[in-house]
Amino acid sequence: MEISRSEKKRQMQQLEQLASALVTLPKQAQDQLPCPEELVQEVRAAATMKGGARKRHIKYLTKLLHVSDLQEELYHYIGRHQGGAIVAKKTQHQLEQYRNALIEEALDRAGEQDDPAWSELWESKVVQALRPDLPLVDDKTLLRLAYRFAETRNPRYSREIFRTLKAAFEQQQRLQRSEEAK
């Protein structure tokens, strides 16, 4: 899936919100961050700053988070300490990105008039790419809905794709919570 410049900017804004949330954590919570000590020191340093210096340092933290592979762990940590609003917003944005990529791929395929494989059960690279993240999603339903959207341009199908993705994500979350409880 190719990501547009606007999408990259939105992702960086989400990371900036994460960095800002890390800075506003109490000192005891900052000490227990699941990341290297250098990053914890940068978070502590930003917490003591004010005004423009703080904003610049948060942007620097955003850059550090962007190149690190600790984003998911930090999102879960923030979710436990400040509530799930940041995590929920990130999840919704990711599901919207999957939906938009699937619709875009379906529209591209519908535009190819000589494609004999274009039917309700067409081969999708996007569905294959999202399987690792959402293993419980019903592939056939997604393909059928994307096909219908491409044929009719009815926004109802776009909303239904999002609902299907969200239901698969929530089902996966319930399974993970039940496994953790055991």
Side-chain angles (χ1 to χ4, degrees), residues 2 100-115 118 122-123 125-126 146-147 149-151 153:
E2 189 175 322
N100 294 342
L102 181 63
I103 287 174
E104 188 176 314
E105 183 183 20
L107 290 172
D108 289 345
R109 289 289 296 273
E112 299 171 7
Q113 297 162 352
D114 298 336
D115 189 1
W118 179 241
W122 52 287
E123 285 292 320
K125 294 177 184 174
V126 173
Y147 174 82
F149 180 84
E151 293 295 317
R153 306 294 198 275

Side-chain angles (χ1 to χ4, degrees), residues 77-105:
Y77 188 78
I78 285 293
R80 287 194 308 266
H81 283 80
Q82 291 187 346
I86 291 176
V87 177
K89 186 175 180 181
K90 178 190 173 288
T91 301
Q92 180 176 352
H93 184 74
Q94 185 177 21
L95 294 175
E96 288 173 349
Q97 185 179 354
Y98 284 145
R99 178 201 57 201
N100 294 342
L102 181 63
I103 287 174
E104 188 176 314
E105 183 183 20

Side-chain angles (χ1 to χ4, degrees), residues 143-169:
L143 294 173
R144 203 171 282 128
L145 290 169
Y147 174 82
R148 290 182 182 160
F149 180 84
E151 293 295 317
T152 64
R153 306 294 198 275
N154 189 338
R156 180 180 101 205
Y157 298 118
S158 172
R159 290 189 294 268
E160 196 61 37
I161 290 170
F162 183 79
R163 284 187 204 110
T164 303
L165 291 169
K166 188 171 182 180
F169 177 78

